[in-house]
Amino acid sequence: MTKRKIEANDLFRLTSLTDPQWEKHSRKFAYVQTTISEEDNEYLSTIYVGSLDGAAKPFTSGKGRATSPRWSPDGSRLAFVSTRNEKAQIYVMPVDGGEAEQVTFCKNGAGSPVWSPCGTKLLFSTAVESEEDLKAGAKTEEKKKKPEPMVVEKLRYKSDAKGFLDKKNDHLAMLDLKTKEITQLTQGDRDYGSPAWSPDGKKVAFVANLEENPDEVLVTDVYVMDLESKEKKKVTHSNGFFSTITWSPDGAFLGFLGHEKEFQSATLTRVWVYQLETEVLHCLTENLDIEVGDVAIGDFHSGNVNPGLMWTEDSDGFYFLLSDQGGTGIYYGSIDGAMYPIHLPGEHVYGVSILTDSHEAIVGISSSTDPGELYYLDFRSQKREQLTHVNKAWKEEVEISAAEPISFKAPDGWDVHGWIMKPAGFEEGKKYPTILEVHGGPHAMYANTYFHEFQVLTSQGFVVLFTNPRGSHGYGQEFVDAVRGDYGGKDYIDVMSAMDYALETFDFIDEKNLGITGGSYGGFMTNWAVAHTDRFKAAVTQRSISNWLSFYGVSDIGYYFSEWEVKGNMEDKVEKLWDHSPIKYVANVNTPLLILHGEKDYRCPIEQAEQLFIALKKQGKTTKFVRFPDSNHELSRSGNPALRVHRLNHIKNWFVEYLEGAE
């Protein structure tokens, strides 16, 4: 049977499985299954529960999104978050049957449920302006008849995720499931997150920035609160970013991930352990030159959850995710600092839940040819068994291109890693137009994972080339830091070296028909490339940066990111910002450039696209500008489904128009 080619709207045929949660008593596991309704143009998330010896079945039903399944300590109930009644609220439901009970009625919704060790309370997060927002029947504020101005007094007053910030803050609250009484645990004009309950039920840990001026002192500290006295103790030193807290089973240690900003935003995330009795904080992966966590770039899964440290029953060790050489896998670490790999496949482990007493795991795994399924792993016997087959029928229907790894040296001898994908229907002896993809971040990592955009392009007859240039995670601290202050320098050389290597190595690339595209930092690099070379016949820049001068202050991170990353400022290093701005060199652009941008992108605001388009248009350059309404920086990953399809088709059609040889 001839397989058909993948199209942009195959997004509506794919199923995403995320956030696996394994319960040790019953050995049942829960997870979130997400599909996209083409008819309703919306995401539908359902919680499933399964066991190793049987097929998983839907646990929740109805429209909307059900997420964050969390087992009660005895395994008899699941708490989860649902939007079935518009606002996201927390529900609790017996696993063996019964109705779901809505247990929060917060005005602004609720999320991140954490069971108390005794199973009678839930710790959760909610946006709060006043304590009234926590109560059932809280009045919804009536629409004002007359508009009022927004008064801004803080450096940080908007967010790509939330839009313009108001007087609400993310606070932690505790719900007594028997009495339904809710206690607000944190107060004030600060945000709190990453809640974790101590094994004895007497304390909770969380992260917050409680510095006097949080706008200027950019940190996230770990705190422990005594639930009886409400006293808070800070366990980190106001010099870094920390998150993802877990307690050791014996309550002696707090484990979390983070760093002390030694290289600002380019610092490797590491494993930290705080001993409560001695009040000593240790970095346990100081000598491990690897990024802890999953930083793989993709455009399919959203809602991936980093479990942090998954402690063994004896509290002497833990498992954790890490990103290395374009793959994500599982490491084991011990309190005494020993670290070694447990599972390092050439794949993307994007979700994991471990029964640490038996050293077994349920993992979500994706590859370049597989959107993702759940697997059972036994770390001792190395047994591996596929548990789900949600994308099997689709995979059997379409032609999927595999990503083949490549490695090469930049002109200065640095090793660079990447991949190349042949077009669908590849024929030996034929030459194909080729598209060079550049990832965002820049401190992220292309990986051995499914990328829908790449498959749409290979199905159209393009070779797709992608690489991890300097600035990418996965290749050590020196490599990820090398881009700071050098945007458009050695990173640009790495990207172009990938193109040179591919042309020298693969005879199926048509050197006269090359394209380039990327988003965010990848959009910056696309802009930079077409302003510094004419070797590309077409380019697509997405949610990009074109002008570091105007970026300063207009982005939700623009008042510090430019200083940290470009190493320029508005005081005495203005020329540094201008010299690294692609728009400075716009007169040199001869490549037809398509500009894609979301209108509510507060990370790379749309003014970056607007001025680039006008500058090109006024000089008679070939360009087109596509604006996506109500879309933020996450359009390609979790944005409006119909607009995601439009975006993919605009990219494909632009390259079809300007590159010869595409089908």
Side-chain angles (χ1 to χ4, degrees):
M1 185 182 77
T2 302
K3 293 189 174 184
R4 70 171 178 86
K5 295 177 180 178
I6 295 174
E7 300 176 347
N9 63 5
D10 275 316
L11 273 176
F12 297 110
R13 298 284 308 281
L14 294 171
T15 299
S16 169
L17 307 180
T18 57
D19 199 9
Q21 299 287 325
W22 205 359
E23 203 281 312
K24 65 180 181 181
H25 300 292
S26 65
R27 291 178 63 83
K28 292 181 179 179
F29 58 91
Y31 60 91
V32 178
Q33 178 166 309
T34 300
T35 56
I36 308 175
S37 167
E38 187 169 11
E39 180 181 357
D40 299 321
N41 190 40
E42 66 178 7
Y43 296 92
L44 303 175
S45 295
T46 303
I47 292 171
Y48 276 66
V49 172
S51 59
L52 297 183
D53 56 0
K57 297 180 180 179
F59 181 73
T60 60
S61 60
K63 289 200 170 187
R65 306 192 71 169
T67 58
S68 305
R70 296 297 181 265
W71 295 96
S72 62
D74 64 1
S76 66
R77 293 170 292 171
L78 269 177
F80 59 93
V81 177
S82 175
T83 60
R84 62 183 64 185
N85 291 319
E86 295 188 8
K87 290 279 186 186
Q89 301 286 358
I90 297 172
Y91 293 73
V92 173
M93 186 171 171
V95 177
D96 293 331
E99 293 295 320
E101 178 190 4
Q102 182 176 342
V103 295
T104 65
F105 298 83
C106 301
K107 176 182 175 181
N108 304 307
S112 304
V114 181
W115 287 92
S116 64
C118 62
T120 65
K121 298 180 178 67
L122 281 174
L123 179 64
F124 66 94
S125 177
T126 182
V128 174
E129 184 173 344
S130 69
E131 199 165 339
E132 291 296 312
D133 293 348
L134 295 172
K135 300 176 182 178
K139 292 183 179 180
T140 302
E141 188 175 326
E142 294 181 5
K143 292 183 179 180
K144 297 180 174 65
K145 295 181 180 179
K146 297 180 180 179
E148 294 184 359
M150 178 181 179
V151 179
V152 176
E153 296 181 291
K154 297 179 180 179
L155 284 171
R156 185 176 181 273
Y157 65 92
K158 59 184 175 181
S159 158
D160 185 62
K162 297 180 179 180
F164 288 109
L165 303 179
D166 50 28
K167 294 181 180 180
K168 295 189 289 292
N169 289 92
D170 292 334
H171 283 289
L172 303 181
M174 181 172 62
L175 166 69
D176 188 311
L177 291 169
K178 293 180 179 179
T179 66
K180 309 304 181 189
E181 180 184 356
I182 292 180
T183 304
Q184 186 175 334
L185 299 178
T186 60
Q187 287 84 26
D189 186 19
R190 303 296 165 88
D191 292 323
Y192 297 78
S194 192
W197 215 310
S198 67
D200 63 6
K202 296 179 180 179
K203 301 180 181 68
V204 296
F206 51 80
V207 298
N209 182 349
L210 302 185
E211 297 301 302
E212 185 174 347
N213 190 341
D215 273 353
E216 295 183 1
V217 183
L218 297 172
V219 297
T220 309
D221 281 307
V222 177
Y223 288 83
V224 176
M225 173 187 283
D226 184 284
L227 287 176
E228 185 175 346
S229 67
K230 301 297 188 292
E231 292 183 359
K232 297 188 292 285
K233 178 177 179 58
K234 183 169 64 174
V235 305
T236 49
H237 306 304
S238 297
N239 61 348
F241 297 113
F242 301 94
S243 65
T244 324
I245 304 170
T246 56
W247 293 79
S248 63
D250 63 5
F253 300 98
L254 268 183
F256 43 90
L257 310 181
H259 60 74
E260 293 184 328
K261 295 198 304 184
E262 297 96 325
F263 301 91
Q264 301 290 23
S265 45
T267 313
L268 291 184
T269 299
R270 301 191 184 278
V271 170
W272 298 78
V273 168
Y274 176 78
Q275 189 170 14
L276 281 89
E277 183 178 352
T278 62
E279 300 184 353
V280 174
L281 177 65
H282 291 289
C283 176
L284 296 185
T285 57
E286 188 173 6
N287 298 319
L288 191 65
D289 197 22
I290 298 177
E291 171 74 3
V292 174
D294 172 15
V295 292
I297 286 280
D299 67 349
F300 176 55
H301 294 291
S302 62
N304 291 352
V305 175
N306 186 346
L309 303 189
M310 293 163 280
W311 292 86
T312 55
E313 298 297 309
D314 58 12
S315 298
D316 287 338
F318 44 80
Y319 295 95
F320 59 94
L321 288 174
L322 81 162
S323 299
D324 185 33
Q325 303 287 315
T328 62
I330 302 169
Y331 252 63
Y332 173 81
S334 64
I335 288 295
D336 61 12
M339 302 284 160
Y340 53 88
I342 294 294
H343 183 68
L344 289 179
E347 300 166 318
H348 176 203
V349 178
Y350 64 85
V352 59
S353 181
I354 299 178
L355 297 186
T356 58
D357 57 341
S358 58
H359 305 279
E360 301 167 281
I362 304 290
V363 294
I365 296 178
S366 174
S367 69
S368 65
T369 58
D370 193 333
E373 301 283 358
L374 295 183
Y375 291 79
Y376 163 79
L377 296 180
D378 186 322
F379 296 147
R380 290 173 171 169
S381 68
Q382 299 301 304
K383 180 183 177 182
R384 169 171 168 155
E385 179 183 347
Q386 186 170 340
L387 299 174
T388 63
H389 300 84
V390 294
N391 291 302
K392 180 182 178 181
W394 178 81
K395 285 174 60 181
E396 292 174 346
E397 178 185 327
V398 299
E399 183 175 354
I400 304 176
S401 177
E404 303 170 20
I406 60 173
S407 296
F408 56 92
K409 286 190 180 292
D412 59 358
W414 283 48
D415 291 317
V416 185
H417 176 224
W419 296 261
I420 192 165
M421 298 171 69
K422 294 175 182 176
F426 175 80
E427 298 177 19
E428 291 287 350
K430 187 176 178 180
K431 288 189 177 291
Y432 294 90
T434 298
I435 297 170
L436 176 61
E437 291 263 5
V438 187
H439 68 63
H443 309 309
M445 181 184 77
Y446 274 143
N448 302 303
T449 194
Y450 179 83
F451 217 114
H452 194 60
E453 178 180 324
F454 297 175
Q455 296 294 343
V456 170
L457 292 174
T458 56
S459 289
Q460 194 63 45
F462 296 109
V463 173
V464 171
L465 173 67
F466 55 108
T467 187
N468 284 325
R470 261 165 273 201
S472 302
H473 270 308
Y475 305 90
Q477 183 62 78
E478 184 181 7
F479 194 88
V480 72
D481 186 52
V483 73
R484 290 198 309 132
D486 191 39
Y487 275 44
K490 297 291 179 62
D491 53 345
Y492 171 63
I493 292 174
D494 288 350
V495 168
M496 298 306 292
S497 294
M499 196 75 257
D500 293 336
Y501 172 82
L503 287 167
E504 294 169 3
T505 307
F506 304 105
D507 59 7
F508 52 79
I509 294 178
D510 182 355
E511 64 179 3
K512 295 180 180 180
N513 279 284
L514 305 178
I516 185 171
T517 186
S520 196
Y521 164 82
F524 158 83
M525 185 56 70
T526 299
N527 297 339
W528 187 268
V530 297
H532 288 80
T533 181
D534 289 339
R535 53 191 309 193
F536 298 106
K537 284 186 66 176
V540 180
T541 185
Q542 310 169 47
R543 59 190 187 281
S544 74
I545 292 172
S546 63
N547 186 343
W548 290 109
L549 278 174
S550 66
F551 178 83
Y552 192 98
V554 300
S555 163
D556 63 346
I557 59 173
Y559 68 97
Y560 62 86
F561 187 85
S562 306
E563 298 178 2
W564 288 3
E565 289 290 317
V566 187
K567 297 189 177 179
N569 59 43
M570 298 298 278
E571 289 82 45
D572 55 1
K573 294 181 181 178
V574 175
E575 288 301 320
K576 178 73 171 171
L577 295 176
W578 184 236
D579 289 343
H580 289 276
S581 297
I583 203 166
K584 175 181 178 180
Y585 313 97
V586 72
N588 301 329
V589 176
N590 297 311
T591 305
L593 182 63
L594 174 65
I595 303 169
L596 307 180
H597 221 106
E599 292 187 341
K600 290 189 176 180
D601 189 332
Y602 291 160
R603 182 60 42 84
C604 296
I606 198 168
E607 59 87 19
Q608 294 285 307
E610 290 171 331
Q611 59 182 304
L612 178 61
F613 173 72
I614 295 300
L616 289 167
K617 203 70 176 173
K618 281 202 69 177
Q619 295 185 39
K621 311 291 186 177
T622 302
T623 187
K624 184 162 66 176
F625 182 20
V626 182
R627 304 170 66 109
F628 294 86
D630 298 317
S631 298
N632 68 1
H633 203 61
E634 295 298 306
L635 168 64
S636 66
R637 296 177 278 263
S638 59
N640 180 287
L643 293 180
R644 288 177 67 186
V645 171
H646 279 298
R647 170 189 162 274
L648 289 168
N649 283 328
H650 274 291
I651 295 169
K652 177 194 71 175
N653 293 339
W654 186 262
F655 285 127
V656 168
E657 180 177 357
Y658 288 99
L659 298 183
E660 299 173 8
E663 298 177 5

